[in-house]
Structure formats: C-alpha cells, structure tokens
Amino acid sequence: EAGVAQSPRYKIIEKRQSVAFWCNPISGHATLYWYQQILGQGPKLLIQFQNNGVVDDSQLPKDRFSAERLKGVDSTLKIQPAKLEDSAVYLCASSLRGTFVEKLFFGSGTQLSVL
Amino acid sequence: DQQVKQNSPSLSVQEGRISILNCDYTNSMFDYFLWYKKYPAEGPTFLISISSIKDKNEDGRFTVFLNKSAKHLSLHIVPSQPGDSAVYFCAASGGGTSYGKLTFGQGTILTVHP
C-alpha cells in the first residue's frame, strides 16, 4: 500500500515570497490533514478536510495561508507572503474516515526554510 | 497554552533495559491518547493508543499507562532495542474538537545504546 506522498521534500525561499506544497493521501482515505511542526515542538494542526470540505481550520493563519483539496483527493497548501516564523516542516496526513479517533498516516513532510 | 507536555527532552537507556517516557496533559476533556514515533527525515508513525476508559494498553514490547486523576500517561518499552532510538510524541484527542485534531507534546528523543 502506497503511503502519503508529499512534495517538494525541501524548499528555501526569501521572506515575502510565496510557496506551495502538494500532498497525495493514501488511496481511499476521506480525511486529510495539514500539520505544521516548528523545530523543537510537536506538530500543530493547520487544517482538516473531510473529502473536499473543511472540517477545522481554526489554527490556519488565513491572512497568508490557504489550502484546497480538489475532488477530495490531492491537496495543496500555499503560503503568501511567507514570514521568517513560517520556517517549519509541513506534514500532510490522512485517515480512512475521520468520523472517530483513528490513527493518522503521515507523509515525510516538506521542510521549509524562510530566509 | 501547552495542553500536552513532555517535560523530558531526551532519554538515554541501555539496550535490554526499560524505557519510560512520560506525558502530562491539562485538558480534562481529552478522551483518547496516542503515541507516535518519528525517525529523522520521516513523518511520525503511529505506535500505540489508549482510550480514557482504560488505564493500560499493551502491544508487544510497548505498554501505555493512563492515570486520569493525575492527567498523566507513560509509555513503557521493554526490552529497549537500538532500533527504538527515535523521537516519541504523545498526542491527545477529544474535548469537543474534531476527530483527527491531535494535540501533540514537544517530543522526547530516546537513545538506546547497544
């Protein structure tokens, strides 16, 4: 079974530039999550999709971050414009239904450095 | 406001001995707890979980204990192996938030020496 795929693996940009990350969840998984992990901290949920609808985006900085999940499969997370404090690993995860507590399957993440 | 805390940034143990990783939480509405393991350059992988209606759950060498009155959980690894060296995150779910919204601790780096 293929895991959660993310790209790019690494990205270095200057502040005020824009960046986009892509995620392909495990086939058949209805729920997709984007987590942000800052160095030395645990992952923090940014946004959760159920199929192509947003379930929770309460911790997404909506003035600069946006995310979409077209057709309920792939997802893209965008930052525009980036700030220094956005330097982090962005993890995508998926789960089968999201209707009860179930284990999440994480991708390897995209490491973003904002200079 | 850190609702899930892992106060030990690192732990070093000898191969074959017991590893005990600790986690404290403040939100009494949390009703499900999970442990994830993370190797460098990889995403976290699920290890073991426990519901708040239980106080212990075992899976092979891994056992999680939950003390609800103390708002404390621990992960025991017996016996520890060098391949267990990784970052361990405790996570909690519930409290009226959406399923899948896990609140993670900061992580504990476990090093198992041969």
Side-chain angles (χ1 to χ4, degrees), chain A residues 58-76:
Chain A
S58 57
Q59 298 188 100
L60 185 74
K62 298 181 187 63
D63 58 334
R64 298 183 300 106
F65 285 64
S66 64
E68 59 182 8
R69 189 182 184 198
L70 299 175
K71 301 180 181 177
V73 182
D74 293 9
S75 178
T76 303

Side-chain angles (χ1 to χ4, degrees), chain A residues 29-105:
Chain A
H29 279 196
T31 312
L32 185 147
Y33 315 80
W34 284 101
Y35 277 80
Q36 178 194 56
Q37 185 181 7
I38 294 172
L39 188 65
Q41 299 180 19
K44 181 184 83 172
L45 179 70
L46 293 176
I47 189 167
Q48 176 182 351
F49 291 95
Q50 181 73 16
N51 297 307
N52 59 354
V54 175
V55 174
D56 188 332
D57 64 357
S58 57
Q59 298 188 100
L60 185 74
K62 298 181 187 63
D63 58 334
R64 298 183 300 106
F65 285 64
S66 64
E68 59 182 8
R69 189 182 184 198
L70 299 175
K71 301 180 181 177
V73 182
D74 293 9
S75 178
T76 303
L77 176 69
K78 296 179 182 177
I79 307 175
Q80 182 179 10
K83 292 185 175 182
L84 297 177
E85 59 260 36
D86 297 332
S87 294
V89 175
Y90 290 84
L91 295 162
C92 178
S94 69
S95 64
L96 192 57
R97 286 182 291 272
T99 53
F100 56 91
V101 181
E102 55 187 354
K103 61 182 179 182
L104 274 59
F105 294 84

